[in-house]
Amino acid sequence: MSNLSDFVHHHFDKPADQLGDIEKRVLAKAHARKVISTDVNAAFSADASFGERIADSIARIGGSWSFIIAFFVFLIAWTVINTIILVSGAFDPYPFVFLNLILSMLAAIQAPIIMMSQNRQAERDRFEAAKDYEVNLKAELEVLSLHQKIDMSVLTELTALREDVARLTAALAAKG
């Protein structure tokens, strides 16, 4: 256990008892040789409520070119119908008070839904950043561990080579 404690102190620049929950979890996963990366979209979507999924869908649709073009066509059709086609019996004559009411209600409903989706996107970004940190930390620990293993292997080989050189030098000196 002291080897692990030395490893923690050396790589984290603090004692093991001062590590945060994320560092402890990553260290445990690295020590157990378990995968820490996950599908962020699946993990985040799994916790979404029905209302959050609807808000995301509405924001996705409301922020698309298809919606903008369709709504523009709707506005042109409304205007043409109420000014040119139904000149005398228009159901919403100019200045289109009913259309303004509909647009105001749509904006009043759509704005908070889009804000909910933006808040959720910010939460998703924080979740993704936390997962990225965990994966990067584990990768860093693995690289450091590999460096340590390679260094130990090189030192072992150097020691063996020095012993061989010393033996050969002694053998040459004895013959000469």
Side-chain angles (χ1 to χ4, degrees):
M1 185 65 182
S2 68
N3 186 19
L4 183 61
S5 179
D6 292 341
F7 179 81
V8 169
H9 182 67
H10 184 270
H11 295 300
F12 286 101
D13 293 329
K14 54 187 167 184
D17 60 338
Q18 290 182 358
L19 292 178
D21 291 338
I22 292 173
E23 287 87 2
K24 288 178 183 175
R25 185 173 55 247
V26 169
L27 192 59
K29 292 266 187 168
H31 188 66
R33 301 275 186 228
K34 291 188 178 179
V35 175
I36 201 164
S37 60
T38 58
D39 181 0
V40 176
N41 291 326
F44 191 77
S45 297
D47 294 336
S49 69
F50 179 70
E52 290 171 333
R53 287 193 301 272
I54 288 177
D56 288 345
S57 297
I58 289 173
R60 190 172 26 261
I61 292 167
S64 69
W65 277 107
S66 302
F67 177 80
I68 293 169
I69 292 168
F71 203 71
F72 186 68
V73 168
F74 168 77
L75 292 175
I76 290 174
W78 185 284
T79 306
V80 168
I81 288 171
N82 283 292
T83 55
I84 298 172
I85 297 175
L86 300 174
V87 177
S88 62
F91 57 89
D92 187 21
Y94 181 82
F96 311 118
V97 175
F98 185 54
L99 177 61
N100 282 325
L101 175 66
I102 291 172
L103 292 176
S104 295
M105 288 189 308
L106 179 66
I109 293 170
Q110 193 176 22
I113 291 173
I114 290 172
M115 287 176 64
M116 285 171 40
S117 182
Q118 287 175 337
N119 289 339
R120 198 162 137 63
Q121 183 61 43
E123 188 179 321
R124 168 184 257 133
D125 291 343
R126 285 189 297 276
F127 180 78
E128 191 170 340
K131 284 296 182 185
D132 286 347
Y133 173 71
E134 289 179 7
V135 170
N136 290 340
L137 182 59
K138 183 170 186 271
E140 235 178 293
L141 290 173
E142 293 293 334
V143 167
L144 290 170
S145 178
L146 286 173
H147 275 288
Q148 188 177 17
K149 286 178 183 177
I150 290 171
D151 290 346
M152 292 306 294
S153 175
V154 168
L155 287 175
T156 303
E157 286 181 29
L158 281 175
T159 302
L161 285 173
R162 284 184 180 157
E163 290 172 0
D164 289 343
V165 168
R167 249 192 336 265
L168 288 173
T169 303
L172 282 175
K175 285 186 179 183

